[in-house]
Amino acid sequence: MTLLRLQNLSLTLRNRPVLRDVSLTLGAGEVVGLLGPNGAGKTSLMRAALGLVPAQGSSSLAGLSPRDRARAVAWMPQHREIAWPVPVERLVALGRTPHLAAGRALSPDDQARVDEAISRMGLDGFRTRAASRLSGGEQARALLARALAQDTPLLMADEPAAGLDPSYQIATMRVFRDLAAEGRTVFVSLHDLGLAARHCTRIVLMARGGILADGPPSDVLTPALMAEAFGISVFHEQTADGPVFQPLDVL
Amino acid sequence: MSRLMTGLGLLVALLFIGSLVVGYAPVGPIDSLRALIAGDGGPVTMVMREIRLPRALLALFIGAGLGLAGAAMQGYLRNPLAEPGLIGVSASAALGAVIAINTGLVAMGTLGLPVAALAGAVIGVGLIMALAAPNGDTLTLILAGIAISAMASALTSLVLNLSPNPFAANEIVFWMMGSLADRSMVHLWLFLPFGLVGAGLLLGLGRGLDALTLGEDAARTMGIRLGRMRLLLVLGTASLVGAATAVAGAIGFIGLVVPHILRPWVGSQPSRLLTASALGGAAMLLAADIAVRLILPDRDLKLGVVTALVGAPLFLHLIYKTRRDNG
């Protein structure tokens, strides 16, 4: 089943080409890591795919009505905005917005999804805390729980692991793998190559607004491609415990 | 939540009755309420039904409208310092009223001034719609509001500046301070249709305002149509605030202070703040309108003066609290 299809997506912002002719298809049950240097166009690709910025070419999500789109994909933006000190459980419950009938409160089923999302992100002890007063990493977990509560086949997240401590980085990637095992797909931009190597089922590597490589981690996370995309040397080894991948130096 | 609403509802009911029984005519509270309800056709019934009832009802509805519009505006802009006047409607309504006073349109009957003010508000809204970007973006909305407010205020000053008649200038200044004195049922009937439509539009925004807590991108991807939402916000605020200004003049601070005070009581949830602020705004305006009659009964103290005198110290308290919370 295809959850996202991008065809010849191009985007120009202020006369600067940001995306050049990007085509990409995401099926079910994948954890797809979107890698690339700063300014490669990762955020723009995700926002254009969602239809948040008008781009040339086509995206299967951009044409949907806002409500249908909200039931097809959940989005966690990189900029973590929590405008008011709402309790964490209220914030997570916002994820149910596209599923509620006009004027209706949360059903027991909605509440169950909210509770599940809160538990998955390890936020049970934070339910009544004011979300805007949590630490940066805790806020990121609350916002990701909100996206999980939206309960969509596709989850797109822009650097969800940024600012998390190592244990929650790993826990977050584990949640993504669990979602993939349930048949959902997670499309996630990352900067941590080691995390991507260990937890993604597929890597899309971007550079200068285009896709440089797309495939399983072992095909994409190669010294040659890392040198071309990031200009770095890397250490990598396949251990009994899974792949170990570490950037070493700037070339 | 429900306890807060019950409390606010009781407060509003008490202040409404208080507003009915306070006045220049020396009649006891029980007698005046009896005259209002039973209606023996005597002078007390006249005073109650023609003077005090419209005044109390206007304070109730206009206060509720200003509180509601303030809560909606703060929620949409995600800024606790936003207020309903931000989109330039009160300034353009005031300009319409000032032109009416200066040109003698006022002499054409009770409705001359409010209708001119409403016309000013409608022109202001039209300009906002034309200027702000159609995608629901907040920055162009604020910029357009500032531009229109500044232009309307400048034109108001120009009219004052060129006014050949010192009495007209005096009347303009007093009108701009806001008052509910000497209003009749005609004013209420003028306000109500705009007030009800505006309130209906704003009360329907709750879910979108909640989603906007997480920013514009997140709200869009949760199914919220921001462009449509901003259209409803501007139309709702404009009809409430435009009609309120047309009938009662410029009454500041209610739309700013009331949502601010009540926010912690509703868990900071924008949707729950809407009704709470409507009740809070009604209570604040009823109280202010009682105060102007009690403090200086023979000097015609203006409402805007009282709301600002009460509102400014409340803000000092908020500053103190914020500084303490931030260590």
Side-chain angles (χ1 to χ4, degrees):
Chain A
M1 196 172 77
T2 304
L3 297 179
L4 173 66
R5 172 171 282 128
L6 307 179
Q7 282 171 313
N8 310 106
L9 213 56
S10 290
L11 177 65
T12 304
L13 293 177
R14 294 191 186 88
N15 290 326
R16 206 172 60 87
V18 179
L19 295 177
R20 303 167 201 256
D21 209 23
V22 176
S23 295
L24 182 69
T25 302
L26 301 185
E30 301 183 273
V31 179
V32 184
L34 182 61
L35 304 186
N38 296 136
K42 301 186 294 296
T43 299
S44 294
L45 174 65
M46 290 181 141
R47 294 188 76 232
L50 288 158
L52 294 174
V53 277
Q56 289 174 317
S58 76
S59 161
S60 56
L61 294 172
L64 299 175
S65 77
R67 200 179 168 94
D68 286 345
R69 180 182 63 193
R71 289 171 174 180
V73 59
W75 167 235
M76 181 190 167
Q78 181 180 15
H79 176 62
R80 292 165 190 166
E81 179 171 349
I82 302 175
W84 309 111
V86 286
V88 167
E89 56 188 355
R90 290 269 175 196
L91 183 145
V92 176
L94 289 176
R96 299 307 296 165
T97 303
H99 302 280
L100 297 178
R104 286 294 185 81
L106 294 185
S107 70
D109 181 56
D110 290 319
Q111 190 58 53
R113 308 272 177 191
V114 172
D115 293 342
E116 188 192 339
I118 288 176
S119 297
R120 264 193 155 152
M121 293 317 298
L123 291 165
D124 283 300
F126 294 85
R127 296 181 73 111
T128 56
R129 295 267 298 275
S132 58
R133 299 195 184 120
L134 298 176
S135 78
E138 288 160 353
Q139 287 189 14
R141 280 152 57 200
L143 290 171
L144 192 54
R146 195 284 302 163
L148 293 181
Q150 205 167 326
D151 190 28
T152 49
L154 177 61
L155 167 65
M156 287 171 59
D158 200 359
E159 296 194 31
L164 297 186
D165 67 38
S167 101
Y168 274 109
Q169 287 190 356
I170 294 166
T172 299
M173 296 309 289
R174 282 234 173 95
V175 168
F176 292 161
R177 278 160 56 177
D178 291 345
L179 292 173
E182 294 167 17
R184 299 170 204 262
T185 281
V186 183
F187 187 31
V188 53
S189 77
L190 292 168
H191 274 303
D192 188 320
L193 302 176
L195 219 51
R198 286 180 72 86
H199 298 284
C200 293
T201 59
R202 175 178 162 193
I203 304 281
V204 174
L205 179 63
M206 285 189 80
R208 295 174 299 280
I211 291 179
L212 197 59
D214 178 0
S218 53
D219 291 359
V220 178
L221 294 171
T222 62
L225 280 170
M226 292 301 103
E228 187 180 347
F230 295 98
I232 56 170
S233 60
V234 294
F235 165 83
H236 70 121
E237 192 170 272
Q238 192 62 39
T239 70
D241 218 17
V244 174
F245 198 89
Q246 174 68 43
L248 289 179
D249 216 340
V250 177
L251 293 171
Chain B
M1 162 73 176
S2 58
R3 202 182 295 167
L4 172 76
M5 293 310 227
T6 318
L8 283 171
L10 277 176
L11 180 65
V12 169
L14 282 175
L15 288 166
F16 183 74
I17 295 169
S19 178
L20 284 173
V21 299
V22 169
Y24 311 115
V27 189
I30 304 291
D31 289 341
S32 51
L33 288 179
R34 188 182 297 142
L36 171 70
I37 296 159
D40 53 7
V44 182
T45 303
M46 271 278 283
V47 166
M48 291 306 293
R49 291 196 176 164
E50 306 285 323
I51 298 175
R52 292 203 195 157
L53 185 62
R55 184 171 188 158
L57 286 171
L58 278 171
L60 177 77
F61 289 128
I62 289 178
L66 292 175
L68 173 60
M73 194 60 79
Q74 293 186 2
Y76 187 81
L77 297 177
R78 286 156 283 145
N79 189 330
L81 297 180
E83 52 112 10
L86 201 70
I87 56 170
V89 182
S90 21
S92 39
L95 176 62
V98 164
I99 291 174
I101 294 172
N102 208 48
T103 55
L105 204 66
V106 189
M108 289 177 60
T110 323
L111 288 177
L113 188 149
V115 168
L118 270 178
V122 168
I123 293 172
V125 177
L127 285 173
I128 281 273
M129 295 304 203
L131 288 172
N135 63 357
D137 162 63
T138 53
L139 184 63
T140 55
L141 178 69
I142 296 173
L143 288 173
I146 290 172
I148 289 165
S149 288
M151 182 55 83
S153 304
L155 291 175
T156 302
S157 302
L158 181 70
V159 174
L160 266 172
N161 193 180
L162 299 180
S163 174
N165 177 350
F167 294 107
N170 204 24
E171 200 184 335
I172 289 170
V173 170
F174 275 130
W175 182 86
M176 288 203 294
M177 292 177 182
S179 172
L180 285 173
D182 307 325
R183 302 302 195 266
S184 65
M185 281 295 180
V186 175
H187 290 96
L188 183 68
W189 299 133
L190 181 73
F191 174 80
L192 266 188
F194 294 97
L196 291 178
V197 167
L201 293 178
L202 295 186
L203 285 171
L205 297 181
R207 194 166 282 169
L209 293 177
D210 282 351
L212 264 177
T213 301
L214 303 182
E216 294 179 18
D217 267 10
R220 278 204 182 95
T221 52
M222 281 191 271
I224 305 299
R225 297 169 196 262
L226 284 188
R228 176 174 169 274
M229 194 179 157
R230 196 185 62 181
L231 178 72
L232 298 180
L233 173 90
V234 170
L235 289 179
T237 306
S239 52
L240 271 174
V241 177
T245 312
V247 168
I251 302 170
F253 268 101
I254 291 183
L256 178 61
V257 171
V258 168
H260 213 107
I261 294 174
L262 292 176
R263 182 164 291 115
W265 295 83
V266 296
S268 299
Q269 213 182 327
S271 59
R272 290 166 66 194
L273 190 57
L274 293 176
T275 15
S277 290
L279 288 172
M284 185 171 173
L285 191 55
L286 281 164
D289 193 43
I290 293 171
V292 298
R293 283 177 278 174
L294 287 181
I295 298 170
L296 290 172
D298 48 351
R299 290 298 305 275
D300 188 22
L301 192 56
K302 296 297 181 189
L303 267 180
V305 179
V306 173
T307 53
L309 278 176
V310 176
L314 278 172
F315 253 80
L316 293 182
H317 171 71
L318 287 170
I319 296 171
Y320 169 75
K321 221 178 71 185
T322 309
R323 284 178 60 159
R324 193 190 52 197
D325 287 353
N326 293 348

